[in-house]
Short mmCIF file of all heavy atoms in Angstrom, two decimals:
data_model
loop_
_atom_site.label_atom_id
_atom_site.label_comp_id
_atom_site.label_asym_id
_atom_site.label_seq_id
_atom_site.Cartn_x
_atom_site.Cartn_y
_atom_site.Cartn_z
N MET A 215 92.97 110.48 160.55
CA MET A 215 92.69 109.06 160.40
C MET A 215 92.34 108.77 158.95
O MET A 215 91.52 109.43 158.35
CB MET A 215 91.53 108.66 161.31
CG MET A 215 91.17 107.23 161.21
SD MET A 215 89.85 106.88 162.41
CE MET A 215 89.39 105.30 161.86
N SER A 216 92.97 107.75 158.37
CA SER A 216 92.75 107.38 156.98
C SER A 216 91.67 106.31 156.89
O SER A 216 91.61 105.40 157.71
CB SER A 216 94.07 106.87 156.39
OG SER A 216 93.83 106.37 155.11
N LEU A 217 90.80 106.42 155.87
CA LEU A 217 89.75 105.43 155.68
C LEU A 217 90.22 104.25 154.84
O LEU A 217 89.58 103.20 154.82
CB LEU A 217 88.54 106.07 155.02
CG LEU A 217 87.85 107.15 155.86
CD1 LEU A 217 86.69 107.76 155.07
CD2 LEU A 217 87.34 106.57 157.16
N ALA A 218 91.28 104.42 154.08
CA ALA A 218 91.77 103.34 153.22
C ALA A 218 92.45 102.27 154.04
O ALA A 218 93.10 102.55 155.04
CB ALA A 218 92.75 103.90 152.19
N ALA A 219 92.26 101.02 153.59
CA ALA A 219 92.91 99.90 154.27
C ALA A 219 94.40 99.92 153.95
O ALA A 219 94.81 100.32 152.86
CB ALA A 219 92.31 98.58 153.79
N PRO A 220 95.21 99.54 154.91
CA PRO A 220 96.65 99.53 154.64
C PRO A 220 97.01 98.46 153.62
O PRO A 220 96.43 97.37 153.61
CB PRO A 220 97.25 99.20 156.01
CG PRO A 220 96.16 98.53 156.77
CD PRO A 220 94.88 99.12 156.26
N LEU A 221 97.94 98.78 152.76
CA LEU A 221 98.38 97.83 151.73
C LEU A 221 99.34 96.83 152.35
O LEU A 221 100.11 97.17 153.25
CB LEU A 221 99.08 98.58 150.59
CG LEU A 221 98.19 99.52 149.77
CD1 LEU A 221 99.03 100.29 148.77
CD2 LEU A 221 97.10 98.74 149.05
N PRO A 222 99.31 95.60 151.87
CA PRO A 222 100.31 94.64 152.34
C PRO A 222 101.69 95.05 151.88
O PRO A 222 101.86 95.73 150.87
CB PRO A 222 99.87 93.31 151.71
CG PRO A 222 99.01 93.70 150.56
CD PRO A 222 98.38 95.02 150.91
N ALA A 223 102.67 94.66 152.65
CA ALA A 223 104.04 95.06 152.35
C ALA A 223 104.50 94.53 151.00
O ALA A 223 105.10 95.25 150.21
CB ALA A 223 104.97 94.57 153.45
N SER A 224 104.22 93.27 150.71
CA SER A 224 104.60 92.71 149.42
C SER A 224 103.65 91.58 149.06
O SER A 224 103.16 90.87 149.93
CB SER A 224 106.04 92.20 149.46
OG SER A 224 106.11 91.11 150.35
N VAL A 225 103.39 91.46 147.79
CA VAL A 225 102.54 90.39 147.28
C VAL A 225 103.41 89.51 146.40
O VAL A 225 104.02 90.00 145.45
CB VAL A 225 101.36 90.95 146.46
CG1 VAL A 225 100.54 89.82 145.85
CG2 VAL A 225 100.51 91.86 147.31
N PRO A 226 103.49 88.22 146.72
CA PRO A 226 104.34 87.35 145.89
C PRO A 226 103.73 87.15 144.51
O PRO A 226 102.55 86.86 144.37
CB PRO A 226 104.40 86.05 146.68
CG PRO A 226 103.17 86.06 147.53
CD PRO A 226 102.90 87.50 147.84
N ILE A 227 104.52 87.32 143.48
CA ILE A 227 104.10 87.14 142.10
C ILE A 227 104.84 85.93 141.55
O ILE A 227 106.07 85.90 141.58
CB ILE A 227 104.41 88.39 141.25
CG1 ILE A 227 103.66 89.59 141.82
CG2 ILE A 227 104.05 88.14 139.80
CD1 ILE A 227 104.01 90.89 141.14
N PRO A 228 104.09 84.93 141.07
CA PRO A 228 104.78 83.76 140.50
C PRO A 228 105.52 84.14 139.22
O PRO A 228 104.94 84.75 138.32
CB PRO A 228 103.66 82.77 140.23
CG PRO A 228 102.43 83.60 140.16
CD PRO A 228 102.65 84.79 141.03
N ILE A 229 106.76 83.83 139.16
CA ILE A 229 107.57 84.20 138.00
C ILE A 229 107.49 83.14 136.92
O ILE A 229 107.40 83.45 135.74
CB ILE A 229 109.02 84.44 138.44
CG1 ILE A 229 109.04 85.64 139.38
CG2 ILE A 229 109.92 84.69 137.24
CD1 ILE A 229 110.38 86.01 139.89
N ARG A 230 107.49 81.89 137.30
CA ARG A 230 107.46 80.81 136.32
C ARG A 230 106.10 80.14 136.32
O ARG A 230 105.49 79.94 137.37
CB ARG A 230 108.51 79.76 136.66
CG ARG A 230 109.91 80.23 136.49
CD ARG A 230 110.81 79.08 136.73
NE ARG A 230 112.20 79.47 136.61
CZ ARG A 230 113.20 78.63 136.69
NH1 ARG A 230 112.96 77.36 136.94
NH2 ARG A 230 114.44 79.04 136.55
N ILE A 231 105.63 79.80 135.13
CA ILE A 231 104.44 78.98 134.99
C ILE A 231 104.92 77.66 134.41
O ILE A 231 105.50 77.64 133.33
CB ILE A 231 103.40 79.63 134.07
CG1 ILE A 231 102.97 80.98 134.63
CG2 ILE A 231 102.20 78.72 133.88
CD1 ILE A 231 102.06 81.76 133.72
N PRO A 232 104.69 76.57 135.11
CA PRO A 232 105.20 75.29 134.62
C PRO A 232 104.59 74.90 133.28
O PRO A 232 103.41 75.15 133.03
CB PRO A 232 104.78 74.29 135.71
CG PRO A 232 104.51 75.12 136.91
CD PRO A 232 104.06 76.44 136.41
N LEU A 233 105.40 74.30 132.44
CA LEU A 233 104.95 73.88 131.11
C LEU A 233 103.80 72.89 131.20
O LEU A 233 102.89 72.91 130.36
CB LEU A 233 106.12 73.28 130.34
CG LEU A 233 105.83 72.86 128.90
CD1 LEU A 233 105.44 74.07 128.07
CD2 LEU A 233 107.03 72.16 128.30
N ARG A 234 103.80 72.05 132.24
CA ARG A 234 102.72 71.07 132.39
C ARG A 234 101.37 71.74 132.60
O ARG A 234 100.34 71.16 132.28
CB ARG A 234 103.00 70.15 133.57
CG ARG A 234 104.08 69.15 133.29
CD ARG A 234 104.36 68.34 134.55
NE ARG A 234 105.42 67.38 134.33
CZ ARG A 234 105.21 66.09 134.09
NH1 ARG A 234 104.00 65.63 134.09
NH2 ARG A 234 106.21 65.28 133.89
N GLN A 235 101.36 72.95 133.14
CA GLN A 235 100.10 73.67 133.32
C GLN A 235 99.69 74.44 132.07
O GLN A 235 98.51 74.66 131.84
CB GLN A 235 100.21 74.64 134.49
CG GLN A 235 100.30 73.95 135.83
CD GLN A 235 100.35 74.94 136.97
OE1 GLN A 235 100.20 76.14 136.79
NE2 GLN A 235 100.56 74.42 138.17
N VAL A 236 100.65 74.83 131.28
CA VAL A 236 100.36 75.64 130.11
C VAL A 236 100.02 74.77 128.91
O VAL A 236 99.16 75.13 128.09
CB VAL A 236 101.55 76.56 129.78
CG1 VAL A 236 101.35 77.29 128.48
CG2 VAL A 236 101.79 77.53 130.91
N LEU A 237 100.65 73.62 128.79
CA LEU A 237 100.54 72.79 127.59
C LEU A 237 99.10 72.39 127.24
O LEU A 237 98.70 72.53 126.08
CB LEU A 237 101.44 71.57 127.72
CG LEU A 237 101.67 70.80 126.42
CD1 LEU A 237 102.30 71.69 125.37
CD2 LEU A 237 102.54 69.59 126.69
N PRO A 238 98.28 71.91 128.18
CA PRO A 238 96.90 71.57 127.79
C PRO A 238 96.12 72.76 127.26
O PRO A 238 95.36 72.64 126.30
CB PRO A 238 96.28 71.05 129.08
CG PRO A 238 97.41 70.65 129.93
CD PRO A 238 98.55 71.54 129.58
N TRP A 239 96.32 73.94 127.85
CA TRP A 239 95.61 75.13 127.37
C TRP A 239 96.14 75.55 126.01
O TRP A 239 95.37 76.01 125.15
CB TRP A 239 95.76 76.28 128.38
CG TRP A 239 94.93 76.05 129.59
CD1 TRP A 239 95.35 75.61 130.82
CD2 TRP A 239 93.52 76.20 129.70
NE1 TRP A 239 94.30 75.49 131.66
CE2 TRP A 239 93.16 75.84 131.02
CE3 TRP A 239 92.52 76.59 128.81
CZ2 TRP A 239 91.85 75.87 131.46
CZ3 TRP A 239 91.22 76.62 129.27
CH2 TRP A 239 90.90 76.27 130.57
N ALA A 240 97.44 75.42 125.80
CA ALA A 240 98.02 75.77 124.49
C ALA A 240 97.47 74.86 123.41
O ALA A 240 97.14 75.31 122.31
CB ALA A 240 99.54 75.70 124.56
N ILE A 241 97.35 73.57 123.72
CA ILE A 241 96.79 72.63 122.75
C ILE A 241 95.33 72.95 122.48
O ILE A 241 94.87 72.96 121.33
CB ILE A 241 96.98 71.18 123.24
CG1 ILE A 241 98.46 70.82 123.23
CG2 ILE A 241 96.17 70.21 122.41
CD1 ILE A 241 98.77 69.49 123.89
N PHE A 242 94.58 73.25 123.53
CA PHE A 242 93.15 73.56 123.38
C PHE A 242 92.95 74.83 122.55
O PHE A 242 92.13 74.87 121.62
CB PHE A 242 92.51 73.70 124.76
CG PHE A 242 91.06 74.06 124.72
CD1 PHE A 242 90.13 73.18 124.19
CD2 PHE A 242 90.62 75.26 125.23
CE1 PHE A 242 88.79 73.51 124.16
CE2 PHE A 242 89.29 75.60 125.21
CZ PHE A 242 88.37 74.72 124.67
N ILE A 243 93.70 75.88 122.87
CA ILE A 243 93.57 77.14 122.13
C ILE A 243 94.03 76.94 120.68
O ILE A 243 93.43 77.49 119.75
CB ILE A 243 94.39 78.25 122.81
CG1 ILE A 243 93.86 78.52 124.22
CG2 ILE A 243 94.39 79.53 121.99
CD1 ILE A 243 92.46 79.03 124.31
N GLY A 244 95.09 76.16 120.48
CA GLY A 244 95.54 75.86 119.12
C GLY A 244 94.48 75.11 118.33
O GLY A 244 94.26 75.41 117.15
N PHE A 245 93.79 74.16 119.00
CA PHE A 245 92.71 73.43 118.33
C PHE A 245 91.58 74.38 117.94
O PHE A 245 91.06 74.30 116.81
CB PHE A 245 92.19 72.31 119.24
CG PHE A 245 90.97 71.63 118.71
CD1 PHE A 245 91.07 70.75 117.64
CD2 PHE A 245 89.73 71.88 119.27
CE1 PHE A 245 89.93 70.13 117.14
CE2 PHE A 245 88.60 71.26 118.78
CZ PHE A 245 88.70 70.38 117.71
N LEU A 246 91.21 75.27 118.84
CA LEU A 246 90.14 76.23 118.52
C LEU A 246 90.56 77.15 117.37
O LEU A 246 89.74 77.49 116.52
CB LEU A 246 89.78 77.06 119.75
CG LEU A 246 89.05 76.33 120.87
CD1 LEU A 246 88.71 77.30 121.99
CD2 LEU A 246 87.79 75.66 120.36
N ALA A 247 91.84 77.54 117.35
CA ALA A 247 92.33 78.42 116.28
C ALA A 247 92.29 77.70 114.94
O ALA A 247 91.87 78.29 113.93
CB ALA A 247 93.74 78.90 116.60
N VAL A 248 92.72 76.43 114.92
CA VAL A 248 92.68 75.66 113.67
C VAL A 248 91.24 75.45 113.23
O VAL A 248 90.92 75.55 112.03
CB VAL A 248 93.43 74.33 113.83
CG1 VAL A 248 93.17 73.40 112.68
CG2 VAL A 248 94.91 74.58 113.99
N LEU A 249 90.34 75.20 114.19
CA LEU A 249 88.93 75.01 113.86
C LEU A 249 88.34 76.30 113.27
O LEU A 249 87.62 76.26 112.26
CB LEU A 249 88.16 74.59 115.10
CG LEU A 249 86.75 74.08 114.89
CD1 LEU A 249 86.77 72.77 114.12
CD2 LEU A 249 86.07 73.88 116.23
N ALA A 250 88.66 77.44 113.87
CA ALA A 250 88.17 78.71 113.35
C ALA A 250 88.75 78.98 111.97
O ALA A 250 88.04 79.45 111.07
CB ALA A 250 88.54 79.85 114.31
N LEU A 251 90.03 78.67 111.79
CA LEU A 251 90.67 78.86 110.48
C LEU A 251 90.02 77.97 109.43
O LEU A 251 89.83 78.37 108.28
CB LEU A 251 92.17 78.59 110.58
CG LEU A 251 93.01 79.02 109.40
CD1 LEU A 251 92.94 80.52 109.22
CD2 LEU A 251 94.44 78.56 109.57
N TYR A 252 89.65 76.74 109.84
CA TYR A 252 88.96 75.86 108.89
C TYR A 252 87.62 76.45 108.48
O TYR A 252 87.30 76.51 107.29
CB TYR A 252 88.75 74.47 109.50
CG TYR A 252 87.79 73.66 108.66
CD1 TYR A 252 88.21 73.08 107.48
CD2 TYR A 252 86.46 73.55 109.03
CE1 TYR A 252 87.33 72.39 106.67
CE2 TYR A 252 85.57 72.85 108.24
CZ TYR A 252 86.01 72.28 107.07
OH TYR A 252 85.13 71.60 106.28
N PHE A 253 86.83 76.89 109.47
CA PHE A 253 85.50 77.39 109.12
C PHE A 253 85.58 78.67 108.30
O PHE A 253 84.74 78.91 107.45
CB PHE A 253 84.65 77.60 110.38
CG PHE A 253 83.98 76.34 110.83
CD1 PHE A 253 84.42 75.68 111.95
CD2 PHE A 253 82.92 75.81 110.11
CE1 PHE A 253 83.81 74.51 112.36
CE2 PHE A 253 82.32 74.64 110.52
CZ PHE A 253 82.76 73.98 111.64
N VAL A 254 86.60 79.49 108.55
CA VAL A 254 86.73 80.72 107.77
C VAL A 254 87.26 80.40 106.38
O VAL A 254 86.79 80.93 105.38
CB VAL A 254 87.66 81.73 108.49
CG1 VAL A 254 88.00 82.89 107.58
CG2 VAL A 254 87.00 82.22 109.75
N GLY A 255 88.23 79.49 106.28
CA GLY A 255 88.93 79.34 105.02
C GLY A 255 88.48 78.20 104.14
O GLY A 255 88.62 78.30 102.92
N ALA A 256 87.97 77.11 104.72
CA ALA A 256 87.75 75.93 103.89
C ALA A 256 86.36 75.36 103.99
O ALA A 256 86.08 74.35 103.37
CB ALA A 256 88.77 74.85 104.26
N GLU A 257 85.50 75.97 104.77
CA GLU A 257 84.13 75.46 104.93
C GLU A 257 83.32 75.86 103.70
O GLU A 257 82.55 76.79 103.73
CB GLU A 257 83.51 76.01 106.21
CG GLU A 257 82.04 75.73 106.41
CD GLU A 257 81.71 74.27 106.66
OE1 GLU A 257 82.62 73.50 106.94
OE2 GLU A 257 80.54 73.92 106.54
N GLN A 258 83.53 75.13 102.62
CA GLN A 258 82.85 75.47 101.38
C GLN A 258 82.99 74.30 100.42
O GLN A 258 84.02 73.63 100.39
CB GLN A 258 83.47 76.73 100.77
CG GLN A 258 82.75 77.24 99.54
CD GLN A 258 83.40 78.51 99.00
OE1 GLN A 258 84.48 78.89 99.42
NE2 GLN A 258 82.74 79.15 98.07
N GLY A 259 81.97 74.05 99.65
CA GLY A 259 82.05 73.06 98.59
C GLY A 259 82.24 71.64 99.10
O GLY A 259 81.54 71.20 100.00
N ALA A 260 83.23 70.93 98.54
CA ALA A 260 83.42 69.51 98.86
C ALA A 260 83.86 69.30 100.30
O ALA A 260 83.62 68.24 100.88
CB ALA A 260 84.45 68.91 97.92
N THR A 261 84.53 70.26 100.92
CA THR A 261 85.02 70.10 102.29
C THR A 261 84.02 70.62 103.32
O THR A 261 84.35 70.72 104.49
CB THR A 261 86.35 70.83 102.49
OG1 THR A 261 86.14 72.22 102.26
CG2 THR A 261 87.41 70.31 101.53
N SER A 262 82.82 70.94 102.90
CA SER A 262 81.85 71.55 103.79
C SER A 262 81.31 70.54 104.80
O SER A 262 80.92 69.43 104.45
CB SER A 262 80.69 72.12 102.96
OG SER A 262 79.74 72.70 103.80
N LEU A 263 81.30 70.89 106.06
CA LEU A 263 80.73 70.05 107.11
C LEU A 263 79.26 70.36 107.34
O LEU A 263 78.49 69.51 107.73
CB LEU A 263 81.48 70.24 108.42
CG LEU A 263 82.93 69.77 108.46
CD1 LEU A 263 83.55 70.10 109.80
CD2 LEU A 263 83.01 68.29 108.19
N VAL A 264 78.89 71.63 107.12
CA VAL A 264 77.51 72.06 107.32
C VAL A 264 76.94 72.37 105.95
O VAL A 264 77.51 73.16 105.19
CB VAL A 264 77.45 73.32 108.22
CG1 VAL A 264 76.02 73.77 108.42
CG2 VAL A 264 78.13 73.04 109.56
N SER A 265 75.81 71.73 105.62
CA SER A 265 75.23 71.96 104.30
C SER A 265 74.67 73.37 104.22
O SER A 265 74.30 73.97 105.23
CB SER A 265 74.14 70.93 104.01
OG SER A 265 73.10 71.09 104.95
N GLY A 266 74.62 73.88 103.01
CA GLY A 266 74.11 75.22 102.81
C GLY A 266 75.23 76.25 102.84
O GLY A 266 76.41 75.91 102.93
N HIS A 267 74.86 77.51 102.78
CA HIS A 267 75.83 78.59 102.72
C HIS A 267 75.85 79.44 103.99
O HIS A 267 76.43 80.51 104.01
CB HIS A 267 75.54 79.50 101.51
CG HIS A 267 75.74 78.82 100.21
ND1 HIS A 267 76.96 78.71 99.61
CD2 HIS A 267 74.87 78.17 99.41
CE1 HIS A 267 76.83 78.04 98.47
NE2 HIS A 267 75.57 77.71 98.32
N TYR A 268 75.22 78.95 105.05
CA TYR A 268 75.10 79.77 106.26
C TYR A 268 76.46 80.08 106.88
O TYR A 268 76.75 81.22 107.22
CB TYR A 268 74.20 79.09 107.28
CG TYR A 268 72.78 78.98 106.82
CD1 TYR A 268 72.23 77.75 106.51
CD2 TYR A 268 71.99 80.12 106.67
CE1 TYR A 268 70.92 77.65 106.06
CE2 TYR A 268 70.70 80.03 106.23
CZ TYR A 268 70.16 78.79 105.93
OH TYR A 268 68.87 78.70 105.48
N VAL A 269 77.31 79.06 107.03
CA VAL A 269 78.64 79.28 107.63
C VAL A 269 79.47 80.18 106.74
O VAL A 269 80.13 81.11 107.21
CB VAL A 269 79.33 77.93 107.88
CG1 VAL A 269 80.75 78.14 108.37
CG2 VAL A 269 78.55 77.10 108.87
N HIS A 270 79.41 79.93 105.45
CA HIS A 270 80.20 80.73 104.52
C HIS A 270 79.78 82.20 104.57
O HIS A 270 80.63 83.10 104.58
CB HIS A 270 80.04 80.19 103.09
CG HIS A 270 80.77 80.98 102.08
ND1 HIS A 270 82.12 80.84 101.84
CD2 HIS A 270 80.36 81.97 101.24
CE1 HIS A 270 82.49 81.68 100.90
NE2 HIS A 270 81.45 82.38 100.52
N GLU A 271 78.48 82.43 104.58
CA GLU A 271 78.01 83.82 104.62
C GLU A 271 78.34 84.47 105.95
O GLU A 271 78.64 85.66 106.00
CB GLU A 271 76.50 83.87 104.37
CG GLU A 271 76.09 83.42 102.98
CD GLU A 271 76.68 84.28 101.89
OE1 GLU A 271 76.89 85.49 102.11
OE2 GLU A 271 76.96 83.74 100.81
N PHE A 272 78.32 83.69 107.04
CA PHE A 272 78.59 84.25 108.37
C PHE A 272 80.04 84.69 108.49
O PHE A 272 80.35 85.71 109.11
CB PHE A 272 78.25 83.23 109.44
CG PHE A 272 78.37 83.74 110.84
CD1 PHE A 272 77.45 84.63 111.35
CD2 PHE A 272 79.43 83.34 111.64
CE1 PHE A 272 77.57 85.12 112.63
CE2 PHE A 272 79.55 83.82 112.92
CZ PHE A 272 78.62 84.71 113.43
N VAL A 273 80.97 83.95 107.89
CA VAL A 273 82.40 84.28 108.02
C VAL A 273 82.94 84.94 106.76
O VAL A 273 84.14 85.03 106.58
CB VAL A 273 83.22 83.01 108.33
CG1 VAL A 273 82.81 82.42 109.67
CG2 VAL A 273 83.13 81.99 107.24
N HIS A 274 82.06 85.44 105.90
CA HIS A 274 82.48 85.94 104.60
C HIS A 274 83.45 87.11 104.70
O HIS A 274 84.45 87.15 103.99
CB HIS A 274 81.24 86.35 103.81
CG HIS A 274 81.52 86.61 102.37
ND1 HIS A 274 81.16 87.76 101.74
CD2 HIS A 274 82.17 85.87 101.45
CE1 HIS A 274 81.56 87.72 100.49
NE2 HIS A 274 82.18 86.58 100.29
N ASP A 275 83.19 88.06 105.59
CA ASP A 275 84.08 89.22 105.72
C ASP A 275 85.45 88.80 106.25
O ASP A 275 86.48 89.30 105.79
CB ASP A 275 83.46 90.27 106.62
CG ASP A 275 82.27 90.94 105.98
OD1 ASP A 275 82.13 90.82 104.74
OD2 ASP A 275 81.48 91.56 106.70
N ALA A 276 85.46 87.87 107.21
CA ALA A 276 86.74 87.37 107.72
C ALA A 276 87.50 86.65 106.63
O ALA A 276 88.73 86.72 106.55
CB ALA A 276 86.50 86.45 108.91
N ARG A 277 86.78 85.97 105.79
CA ARG A 277 87.40 85.26 104.66
C ARG A 277 88.14 86.24 103.75
O ARG A 277 89.28 86.02 103.36
CB ARG A 277 86.30 84.53 103.90
CG ARG A 277 86.73 83.56 102.89
CD ARG A 277 85.48 82.91 102.30
NE ARG A 277 85.83 81.99 101.27
CZ ARG A 277 86.10 80.72 101.49
NH1 ARG A 277 86.01 80.24 102.69
NH2 ARG A 277 86.43 79.94 100.50
N HIS A 278 87.50 87.35 103.41
CA HIS A 278 88.14 88.35 102.56
C HIS A 278 89.27 89.05 103.30
O HIS A 278 90.30 89.36 102.71
CB HIS A 278 87.11 89.37 102.08
CG HIS A 278 86.29 88.87 100.95
ND1 HIS A 278 86.65 89.02 99.64
CD2 HIS A 278 85.13 88.20 100.94
CE1 HIS A 278 85.74 88.47 98.86
NE2 HIS A 278 84.80 87.96 99.63
N LEU A 279 89.08 89.29 104.60
CA LEU A 279 90.11 89.96 105.39
C LEU A 279 91.39 89.15 105.43
O LEU A 279 92.48 89.71 105.36
CB LEU A 279 89.58 90.20 106.81
CG LEU A 279 90.53 90.92 107.77
CD1 LEU A 279 90.70 92.36 107.33
CD2 LEU A 279 90.00 90.84 109.17
N LEU A 280 91.26 87.83 105.51
CA LEU A 280 92.45 86.96 105.60
C LEU A 280 92.98 86.59 104.23
O LEU A 280 94.02 85.92 104.14
CB LEU A 280 92.12 85.71 106.40
CG LEU A 280 91.78 85.96 107.86
CD1 LEU A 280 91.35 84.68 108.53
CD2 LEU A 280 92.98 86.55 108.59
N GLY A 281 92.32 86.98 103.16
CA GLY A 281 92.84 86.78 101.82
C GLY A 281 92.57 85.41 101.22
O GLY A 281 93.25 85.01 100.28
N PHE A 282 91.57 84.70 101.76
CA PHE A 282 91.21 83.43 101.13
C PHE A 282 90.47 83.69 99.82
O PHE A 282 89.68 84.63 99.74
CB PHE A 282 90.33 82.60 102.07
CG PHE A 282 91.06 81.98 103.20
CD1 PHE A 282 91.02 82.53 104.45
CD2 PHE A 282 91.81 80.83 103.00
CE1 PHE A 282 91.69 81.95 105.50
CE2 PHE A 282 92.50 80.25 104.03
CZ PHE A 282 92.44 80.81 105.29
N PRO A 283 90.69 82.86 98.82
CA PRO A 283 89.95 83.05 97.57
C PRO A 283 88.47 82.75 97.80
O PRO A 283 88.12 81.80 98.48
CB PRO A 283 90.58 82.03 96.62
CG PRO A 283 91.21 81.02 97.50
CD PRO A 283 91.62 81.73 98.75
N CYS A 284 87.64 83.58 97.23
CA CYS A 284 86.21 83.43 97.51
C CYS A 284 85.41 83.51 96.22
O CYS A 284 84.93 82.53 95.73
CB CYS A 284 85.78 84.51 98.49
SG CYS A 284 84.08 84.34 99.04
N HIS A 285 85.28 84.69 95.66
CA HIS A 285 84.49 84.86 94.45
C HIS A 285 85.10 85.93 93.58
O HIS A 285 86.02 86.59 93.97
CB HIS A 285 83.04 85.22 94.79
CG HIS A 285 82.90 86.40 95.70
ND1 HIS A 285 82.95 87.69 95.28
CD2 HIS A 285 82.76 86.44 97.04
CE1 HIS A 285 82.81 88.49 96.32
NE2 HIS A 285 82.71 87.75 97.41
ZN1 ZN B 558 83.55 86.67 98.97
#
């Protein structure tokens, strides 16, 4: 006698994901990516949204990793 539960014969896997379901998430993820790119690359000086150097210092290594001019 086996203790394992029997496996179902087949599990349906959806092959297509409709574009209407993917598009809002793609736009949202794209917005987050652009926002992250802004904070890493341009959050400094005249374009700074947050006063001080806290954001710049927090993303400083990522800034150098991506090749943005820094110092
Ligand atoms: Zn630097």
Side-chain angles (χ1 to χ4, degrees):
M215 179 176 168
S216 173
L217 296 178
L221 294 175
S224 66
V225 176
I227 299 174
I229 296 180
R230 292 185 181 184
I231 300 174
L233 183 62
R234 286 176 182 259
Q235 291 183 6
V236 173
L237 193 59
W239 287 102
I241 291 171
F242 178 65
I243 298 297
F245 173 74
L246 290 182
V248 168
L249 192 66
L251 192 63
Y252 168 77
F253 276 107
V254 170
E257 172 68 15
Q258 185 178 11
T261 62
S262 180
L263 294 177
V264 180
S265 63
H267 294 276
Y268 294 111
V269 174
H270 178 81
E271 294 299 328
F272 185 73
V273 297
H274 192 233
D275 290 343
R277 191 178 178 89
H278 281 271
L279 181 68
L280 295 175
F282 285 101
C284 186
H285 53 82

